[in-house]
Amino acid sequence: MNNLEKFSSPVISICIVSYNSGHYLQQCLGSLGEAPRNIPLEIIVADNHSEDGTLDILKDQYPGISLIINPDNEGYAKANNQGIKKAKGKYLLLLNNDTLVHKDALQNLLAFARKSPDVGVVGSKLLNIDGTLQMSCYRFPTITNAIKEYWFGKKGLFEKFAPEGEKPTTVDSVVGAAFLITPEALKRAGMLDERYFAYVEDIDYCRQVWKKGLKVYYLPSSVITHYHGATFKKRADEGEQWKKLIPSSKI
């Protein structure tokens, strides 16, 4: 049993993409079920043709969840967009299936977004499974920086980081593991670019948000544990990741 009640008028729609990750997804949904219920939530799972029993688990144990079943693996951006189109909530939270939502994480995200009219995207503070801090912010990639790092050896320009301190901080981009999109951002920047099958769509979206006159924030008071990499087991070699950033690197 679970207490993931379906609300007819949700404030936050949580979009989760699933692909052969039933074990992690159950833990994620369990953490959401244990969260305080003073925020009406809607949970939408877009499944990309899982073959590990995920669909049976969702249908049997989570009847309150809105389920999108894709006959093929449509990729992360497109599946999230399917959830966004279906969402009824004012705010959208893109949440990886390999996450655990801590107490007050959603409340703090919502409170900050509501009181800050310039907010487009808010990212949570991410922790590794052992409780250590996970780097979750990016500086925008540029072709110039790519040349400096990969041809002239200036390191660190594409490395993830986490701002110090406990105050909300503006950053170029936050990773998409816990990614709150405000109504104004959706209005101005639209949905994710589906040309990105997986990875970099979060950086690209944050760039569009900044271009549209809104800001991206890192919010340390919203804490989420992220297994990091469980969602996408087949990663490209880290040394080649920068090449995927070029389409979004134009200023």
Side-chain angles (χ1 to χ4, degrees), residues 12-98:
I12 300 178
S13 292
I14 301 177
C15 301
I16 304 173
V17 176
S18 176
Y19 177 63
N20 290 332
S21 55
H23 172 69
Y24 292 105
L25 181 59
Q26 277 189 290
Q27 294 186 73
C28 176
L29 295 175
S31 71
L32 287 170
E34 294 172 1
R37 307 307 297 159
N38 59 334
I39 299 176
L41 300 178
E42 171 188 39
I43 300 176
I44 303 168
V45 175
D47 186 80
N48 274 334
H49 193 57
S50 292
E51 298 177 323
D52 65 342
T54 294
L55 293 178
D56 292 333
I57 292 172
L58 292 174
K59 291 175 182 177
D60 293 343
Q61 300 182 26
Y62 301 95
I65 289 176
S66 296
L67 181 59
I68 299 169
I69 302 175
N70 288 319
D72 298 295
N73 187 352
E74 299 291 349
Y76 185 76
K78 184 174 181 178
N80 264 315
N81 283 346
Q82 290 174 329
I84 292 171
K85 291 174 185 177
K86 191 179 180 69
K88 298 177 182 178
K90 184 176 181 180
Y91 293 85
L92 297 164
L93 177 64
L94 308 187
L95 185 66
N96 274 19
N97 56 41
D98 57 346

Side-chain angles (χ1 to χ4, degrees), residues 177-243:
F179 194 89
L180 185 78
I181 300 174
T182 66
E184 191 61 26
L186 189 62
K187 178 181 176 182
R188 297 191 197 182
M191 295 186 290
L192 303 180
D193 190 335
E194 295 180 9
R195 291 178 296 177
Y196 299 103
F197 185 83
Y199 300 112
V200 192
E201 72 289 321
D202 44 11
I203 299 176
D204 176 75
Y205 193 83
C206 288
R207 181 179 287 279
Q208 301 312 314
V209 164
W210 278 103
K211 283 183 176 180
K212 298 299 182 179
L214 298 171
K215 296 179 181 179
V216 177
Y217 283 87
Y218 171 80
L219 187 66
S221 64
S222 173
V223 181
I224 290 178
T225 295
H226 181 214
Y227 280 85
H228 191 53
T231 302
F232 305 107
K233 294 182 180 179
K234 295 181 179 179
R235 295 185 63 98
D237 179 78
E238 291 293 336
E240 300 297 309
Q241 287 293 317
W242 69 276
K243 295 179 180 178

Side-chain angles (χ1 to χ4, degrees), residues 148-166:
K148 287 180 179 178
E149 175 148 347
Y150 292 97
W151 277 307
F152 293 98
K154 189 173 182 179
K155 300 298 182 183
L157 296 177
F158 291 116
E159 291 181 1
K160 287 186 288 186
F161 69 98
E164 297 181 356
E166 295 302 318

Side-chain angles (χ1 to χ4, degrees), residues 69-184:
I69 302 175
N70 288 319
D72 298 295
N73 187 352
E74 299 291 349
Y76 185 76
K78 184 174 181 178
N80 264 315
N81 283 346
Q82 290 174 329
I84 292 171
K85 291 174 185 177
K86 191 179 180 69
K88 298 177 182 178
K90 184 176 181 180
Y91 293 85
L92 297 164
L93 177 64
L94 308 187
L95 185 66
N96 274 19
N97 56 41
D98 57 346
T99 55
L100 300 172
V101 178
H102 292 220
K103 181 181 178 182
D104 296 330
L106 302 183
Q107 286 85 345
N108 291 341
L109 280 175
L110 181 61
F112 178 73
R114 279 175 162 172
K115 72 179 182 181
S116 309
D118 64 349
V119 170
V121 167
V122 189
S124 296
K125 176 181 179 178
L126 301 182
L127 301 179
N128 295 307
I129 196 63
D130 63 0
T132 58
L133 181 64
Q134 188 175 119
M135 303 298 103
S136 59
C137 301
Y138 280 107
R139 299 172 183 86
F140 281 139
T142 63
I143 293 176
T144 299
N145 282 343
I147 293 172
K148 287 180 179 178
E149 175 148 347
Y150 292 97
W151 277 307
F152 293 98
K154 189 173 182 179
K155 300 298 182 183
L157 296 177
F158 291 116
E159 291 181 1
K160 287 186 288 186
F161 69 98
E164 297 181 356
E166 295 302 318
K167 294 183 179 181
T169 304
T170 55
V171 294
D172 285 351
S173 173
V174 293
V175 301
F179 194 89
L180 185 78
I181 300 174
T182 66
E184 191 61 26

